[in-house]
């Protein structure tokens, strides 16, 4: 089994890190540059910054926030939110990002995945999928639906089908967020994560629901995730990556342990 990654996520609104529950009930968590540096120093393998209102507000990513955050980092840095063209992706890379994450713009114009990948490499393109199970369905996982615009709009796309298409169009990774589990700290949606992981060959990052080391071990082992992302457990002092990795490693999951 390859080494698994722990990723700290910064959801940014108005230049501040925020966190909610199931994409609502938003509260302030702090300054992105300060939190990014703290999480990286504590052992996070990567940092993801998502400008969560850029698409809804019809604007580009907050580049000054990206620059300020990138200046504090020594681990891979992904930025998403409001990236609608290869030119906008280039500006984000110039601001210090190592990878970009695209979501709503990829759904509305799937060829954008390949356009960014042809210029910067597939490894630099993450397709983020905000997913909600199909309530009342006979197969709520296989019929789970893709949402866009910060989780506000259903698309009619099935999550597994869209992940397969995103890979075919050149995505280097899938960032799968369970809207049902987001912020609940009751565990990742392992069934949905496994369904996507088994459908594609590229790495899948699980997001939504992290509350303990056991949840990470479960999504790596049962959910077949390649990486797992969390926000509130890091921001609010529940744990840090160094402690978390040691506990997950004891459960039999190969981790890159900090010195």
């Amino acid at each position: 089994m390859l080494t698994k990654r722990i990723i700290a996520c910064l959801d940014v609104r108005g230049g501040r890190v925020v966190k909610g529950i199931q994409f609502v009930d938003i509260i302030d968590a702090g300054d992105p540059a300060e939190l990014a540096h703290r999480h990286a120093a504590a052992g996070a393998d990567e940092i993801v910054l998502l400008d969560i209102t850029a698409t809804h507000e019809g604007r580009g990513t907050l580049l000054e926030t990206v620059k300020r955050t990138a200046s504090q980092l020594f681990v891979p840095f992904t930025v998403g939110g409001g990236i609608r063209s290869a030119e906008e992706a280039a500006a984000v890379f110039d601001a210090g990002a190592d990878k970009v994450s695209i979501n709503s713009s990829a759904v509305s114009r799937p060829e954008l995945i390949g356009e960014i990948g042809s210029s910067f490499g597939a490894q630099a393109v993450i397709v983020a999928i905000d997913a909600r199970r199909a309530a009342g369905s006979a197969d709520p996982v296989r019929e789970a639906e893709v949402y866009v615009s910060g989780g506000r709009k259903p698309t009619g796309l099935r999550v597994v089908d869209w992940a397969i298409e995103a890979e075919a169009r050149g995505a280097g990774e899938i960032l799968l967020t369970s809207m049902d589990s987001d912020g609940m700290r009751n565990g990742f949606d392992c069934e949905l994560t496994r369904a996507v992981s088994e459908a594609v060959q590229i790495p899948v990052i699980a997001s939504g629901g992290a509350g303990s080391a056991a949840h990470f071990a479960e999504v790596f082992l049962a959910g077949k995730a390649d990486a797992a992302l969390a926000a509130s457990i890091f921001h609010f002092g529940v744990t840090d990556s160094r402690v978390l990795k040691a506990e997950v490693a004891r459960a039999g999951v190969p981790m890159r342990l900090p010195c």
Side-chain angles (χ1 to χ4, degrees):
M1 187 187 295
L2 296 175
T3 301
K4 304 297 186 178
R5 292 171 287 148
I6 300 293
I7 301 174
C9 182
L10 311 173
D11 290 330
V12 173
R13 183 175 70 176
R16 297 284 295 177
V17 177
V18 297
K19 192 66 192 90
I21 297 175
Q22 296 180 326
F23 285 42
V24 295
D25 296 332
I26 304 295
I27 61 173
D28 185 87
D31 176 75
E34 292 176 4
L35 286 173
H37 177 74
R38 188 176 86 195
H39 297 333
D45 294 303
E46 300 183 23
I47 301 293
V48 171
L49 184 154
L50 302 176
D51 187 343
I52 61 173
T53 57
T55 296
H56 181 64
E57 294 172 0
R59 58 170 175 79
T61 309
L62 296 171
L63 294 178
E64 286 305 314
T65 300
V66 174
K67 289 178 184 177
R68 211 164 50 80
T69 304
S71 70
Q72 300 295 313
L73 289 178
F74 47 88
V75 298
F77 181 36
T78 298
V79 174
I83 299 170
R84 298 158 292 190
S85 67
E87 292 75 21
E88 290 183 343
V92 172
F93 286 123
D94 288 343
D98 300 292
K99 308 176 190 179
V100 295
S101 172
I102 53 176
N103 187 337
S104 302
S105 57
V107 171
S108 62
R109 201 168 67 84
E111 57 268 28
L112 177 61
I113 301 169
E115 290 171 4
I116 298 174
S118 64
S119 297
F120 304 100
Q123 80 288 341
V125 186
I126 297 176
V127 170
I129 301 176
D130 293 334
R132 190 183 292 280
R133 285 184 177 227
S137 167
D139 193 345
V141 171
R142 287 289 170 180
E143 295 186 17
E145 187 173 3
V146 177
Y147 279 66
V148 295
S149 194
R152 295 174 180 84
K153 297 179 181 178
T155 65
L157 290 172
R158 290 186 177 180
V159 170
V160 172
D161 293 342
W162 173 230
I164 292 170
E165 181 178 351
E167 179 183 31
R169 288 182 176 273
E173 295 183 77
I174 299 293
L175 170 55
L176 177 67
T177 299
S178 166
M179 295 177 63
D180 302 296
S181 301
D182 179 69
M184 302 299 289
R185 301 191 194 178
N186 291 325
F188 296 93
D189 189 332
C190 291
E191 288 182 300
L192 182 59
T193 303
R194 185 184 183 108
V196 174
S197 295
E198 291 180 339
V200 300
Q201 300 301 309
I202 57 177
V204 174
I205 304 166
S207 171
S212 69
H215 294 153
F216 282 85
E218 183 182 25
V219 82
F220 288 138
L221 297 171
K224 295 189 175 182
D226 298 277
L229 176 151
S232 57
I233 66 167
F234 296 140
H235 302 337
F236 302 122
V238 176
T239 189
D240 65 28
S241 293
R242 181 175 285 102
V243 173
L244 177 64
K245 284 181 170 183
E247 293 184 39
V248 175
R250 283 195 290 271
V253 178
M255 306 296 302
R256 185 183 298 110
L257 299 175
C259 298

